[in-house]
Amino acid sequence: MPALLRNLGLAALAAATFASAAVQAEDYPARAVRIIAPFAAGTGPDANAREIAAELTKVLGQTVFVDNRPGASGIIGTEAAARAAADGYTLYIGTTSTLSVLPHLYSRLPFDVAKDFAPVSLLGLLNTGLIATPRLPAGDVQGLLALMKSKPESINVATQGPGSYSHLSGVWFGMATGSQPSFVPYNSNSPYADLLAGQVQIMFDGLPAAAGNIRAGKLKLLAITGKQRHPAFPDVPTFAEAGLADFEPIAWQGLLAPSGTPKAIVDKLSAAMRKAAQSQELAAKWRSYGGELKGNTPAEFAAFIEADRAKWGAVARQANVKLD
């Protein structure tokens, strides 16, 4: 009898907990929601985050605001989010760099990206382009590879520093093509001025920072990631069309909550993001600079992160870069 009573008590407790979570989700959000962004205010990723926050504010009926916590390659903001209360009122914008790349560059981190976060939804994808100075005497990937083989000293690849997205994308390109790119790191300055001037020849990057100059003819776009050509750049072939189907670096942003956030709240947030992603105005804005606004389920987003992290792990091992 005592065991039966104990089991009945546990069942009653579980039912009460479930009912409490359901009520909590029904009333959620009852106040403003903060999204920790591990990058500086005024940057491209920050602008994307604020666009998303504005759409979520409309859907949820409560203010959703961005709290910028930049520094240490995204570690400061990511740690702050991992340690936040798991009540749905502090969320986190994760990126390719913070969730797929960082774990491979540091032996020890003050958080576990696989355990400390509950994926909510993908926010959007930013296709990576092979961006070149207009002075480059090659108009496509194969022409570039021929130059890299015949005149390797004439091709320098700009990066935003060792272990950066642009650097590891270049390493991945080398792996996919059997080439050995010569990297020029710009640790604290933007490489775009030198790329425009022809001081460096190519760069791998998400397209928002370069889209305007590409359209103005001040930079060339030789190829772009994605399964099909992007509507904003219909004349630019994909890397798959250039024979590099396995070269697929994608910059992305996604919404996560601290681990332990009630599932009902996570599901409600995911549904809100999927609705926000239907904004025609915002979707058109993302497309204009080579992106794609997205929304998906927590399970789909979790699988996406796991697969992306595995791909970048292979690249990081090839690059042999450690930042600690």
Side-chain angles (χ1 to χ4, degrees), residues 17-311:
T17 300
F18 178 81
S20 175
V23 170
Q24 188 179 11
E26 185 177 339
D27 294 339
Y28 175 87
R31 62 179 190 273
V33 177
R34 172 179 66 147
I35 301 180
I36 292 179
F39 30 75
T43 60
D46 174 62
N48 298 146
R50 292 177 188 277
E51 293 164 354
I52 296 295
E55 290 300 322
L56 287 175
T57 294
K58 298 174 188 176
V59 176
L60 293 171
Q62 290 284 354
T63 298
V64 180
F65 66 95
V66 174
D67 177 9
N68 298 95
R69 299 289 187 93
S73 301
I75 293 175
I76 290 174
T78 305
E79 181 181 12
R83 297 181 184 279
D87 57 6
Y89 289 96
T90 296
L91 306 176
Y92 167 70
I93 287 190
T95 67
T96 316
S97 295
T98 57
L99 296 185
S100 293
V101 174
L102 272 184
H104 305 297
L105 300 183
Y106 290 85
S107 302
R108 298 180 62 184
L109 288 169
F111 49 80
D112 186 324
V113 296
K115 296 179 180 179
D116 291 346
F117 294 99
V120 173
S121 173
L122 192 63
L123 301 182
L125 306 174
L126 294 170
N127 288 322
T128 298
L130 171 46
I131 305 160
T133 174
R135 300 182 183 184
L136 183 75
D140 56 28
V141 172
Q142 296 306 321
L144 171 66
L145 290 174
L147 274 176
M148 293 177 75
K149 183 176 182 180
S150 63
K151 299 180 180 179
E153 72 286 349
S154 70
I155 304 297
N156 289 313
V157 185
T159 79
Q160 290 159 329
S164 64
Y165 181 85
S166 54
H167 173 223
L168 294 182
S169 294
V171 171
W172 194 341
F173 182 78
M175 292 168 58
T177 60
S179 61
Q180 295 183 321
S182 176
F183 296 109
V184 179
Y186 290 75
N187 294 317
S188 58
N189 299 316
S190 170
Y192 277 101
D194 281 358
L195 189 62
L196 286 162
Q199 299 300 314
V200 286
Q201 285 67 50
I202 63 172
M203 180 177 179
F204 296 90
D205 200 10
L207 293 180
N213 282 318
I214 291 169
R215 291 195 179 93
K218 296 179 181 180
L219 289 172
K220 295 198 293 189
L221 183 58
L222 303 188
I224 190 172
T225 53
K227 297 187 181 303
Q228 57 268 330
R229 295 192 181 196
H230 196 278
F233 304 95
D235 296 330
V236 178
T238 65
F239 283 102
E241 289 179 90
L244 301 177
D246 294 331
F247 180 65
E248 48 183 358
I250 297 286
W252 55 265
Q253 289 187 357
L255 191 66
L256 301 98
S259 182
T261 300
K263 182 179 183 299
I265 288 179
V266 170
D267 289 341
K268 188 169 187 176
L269 285 165
S270 178
M273 183 56 224
R274 295 198 298 277
K275 185 174 181 179
Q278 296 173 12
S279 166
Q280 295 301 308
E281 181 180 358
L282 187 54
K285 190 172 184 180
W286 276 62
R287 281 195 300 271
S288 73
Y289 46 64
E292 182 182 1
L293 191 63
K294 300 284 285 187
N296 59 7
T297 68
E300 289 169 338
F301 185 31
F304 173 89
I305 296 172
E306 184 177 359
D308 194 60
R309 187 180 300 135
K311 291 176 183 177

